[in-house]
Amino acid sequence: QVQLVESGGGLVQAGGSLRLSCAASGRTSSSYAMGWFRQAPGKERVFVAAITWSGLRTGYTDSVKGRFTISRDNAKNTVYLQMNSLKPEDTAVYYCVAGPKTTGPYDYWGQGTQVTVSS
């Protein structure tokens, strides 16, 4: 089992930045890919970004390319999502995920952290 705990969410004005963190604990010796999903009010949960265990490959949904950057520090069992040039449409609950492949399916999910971008 792997437990994922997100942090770093909050309220920010449009154009601002936030960095989300996700700390993994438990069976962290396995080589998990990790990523982020988000769910806006009244909408489905959607993929945002993912990174391989090595950190050498990343993937993003089109709407965040050039604005968000995913990274990880395996020594700290932590994955990050740097979010720049935030827009009101980025408002959502952001979930950290872990699984064997960046393409999913993901076996483990965090509880989520709220990101609110005001216009």
Side-chain angles (χ1 to χ4, degrees), residues 33-35 37 47 49-51 97-109:
M34 297 186 73
F37 279 65
F47 170 81
I51 187 168
V97 296
K101 298 181 180 180
T102 56
T103 52
Y106 292 97
D107 299 320
Y108 303 103
W109 293 72

Side-chain angles (χ1 to χ4, degrees), residues 29-111:
S29 59
S30 297
S31 303
Y32 289 111
M34 297 186 73
W36 294 90
F37 279 65
R38 68 185 180 186
Q39 186 169 21
K43 296 187 177 181
E44 294 184 350
R45 195 173 297 185
V46 297
F47 170 81
V48 176
I51 187 168
T52 56
W53 181 85
S54 66
L56 294 179
R57 287 189 293 174
T58 59
Y60 301 90
T61 190
D62 286 346
S63 63
V64 308
K65 286 181 180 177
R67 300 189 299 121
F68 290 12
T69 302
I70 189 171
S71 62
R72 67 190 297 165
D73 184 340
N74 288 340
K76 296 181 178 180
N77 296 319
T78 301
V79 65
Y80 305 97
L81 186 67
Q82 178 67 44
M83 305 186 294
N84 298 328
S85 301
L86 283 161
K87 305 175 181 180
E89 50 264 43
D90 294 318
T91 295
V93 177
Y94 284 71
Y95 297 90
C96 178
V97 296
K101 298 181 180 180
T102 56
T103 52
Y106 292 97
D107 299 320
Y108 303 103
W109 293 72
Q111 292 298 307

